[in-house]
């Protein structure tokens, strides 16, 4: 079993930065990968970024590529999402997820509670 706790969301002006954290406990290695998804009101959940747990290979959606960076601290069992050059379109609830299918842009087996990111113009 894997438990995920997210933090770091907040209000930021367009062009600003935020760093989200997802602290994991349990057998994180067995999940193979972790990633971030987001969902805005009235819209479907969409993939943001993913990283493999062991090798650290990264994947990004086209909408955030070049602006967001996903990373992980293997010792701390924590995954981060560094978000730079934020746009109002990035406003959403951000969720972290764990599971092998995350690298395919599909939600994993475990989910965090979500953290709100609001980007003002």
């Amino acid at each position: 079993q894997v438990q995920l706790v997210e933090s770091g969301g907040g209000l930021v002006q367009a062009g600003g930065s935020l760093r989200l954290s997802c602290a994991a406990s349990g057998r994180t290695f067995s999940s193979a990968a972790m990633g971030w998804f987001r969902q805005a009101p009235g819209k479907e959940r969409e993939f943001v970024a993913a990283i493999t747990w062991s090798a650290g290979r990264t994947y990004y959606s086209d909408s955030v590529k070049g602006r967001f960076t996903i990373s992980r601290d293997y010792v701390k069992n924590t995954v981060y999402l560094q978000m730079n050059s934020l746009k109002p379109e990035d406003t959403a609830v951000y969720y972290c997820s764990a599971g092998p299918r995350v690298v395919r842009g599909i939600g994993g087996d475990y989910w965090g509670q979500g953290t709100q990111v609001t980007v003002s113009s």
Side-chain angles (χ1 to χ4, degrees), residues 1-80:
Q1 297 293 326
V2 176
Q3 296 80 45
L4 307 173
V5 179
E6 297 162 289
S7 62
L11 175 65
V12 65
Q13 296 181 27
S17 300
L18 283 174
R19 189 181 74 162
L20 306 183
S21 299
C22 179
S25 61
R27 298 185 63 193
T28 53
F29 182 81
S30 65
S31 294
M34 296 182 65
W36 292 91
F37 298 77
R38 65 188 183 186
Q39 187 169 24
K43 295 185 177 181
E44 293 186 342
R45 183 182 64 199
E46 64 175 335
F47 170 77
V48 176
I51 187 168
T52 61
W53 195 239
S54 58
R57 181 183 296 176
T58 57
Y59 306 81
Y60 298 95
S61 68
D62 290 338
S63 62
V64 306
K65 192 159 45 182
R67 299 188 298 121
F68 292 9
T69 302
I70 188 170
S71 61
R72 89 266 192 266
D73 187 319
Y74 199 89
V75 175
K76 293 183 177 181
N77 285 340
T78 301
V79 173
Y80 305 95

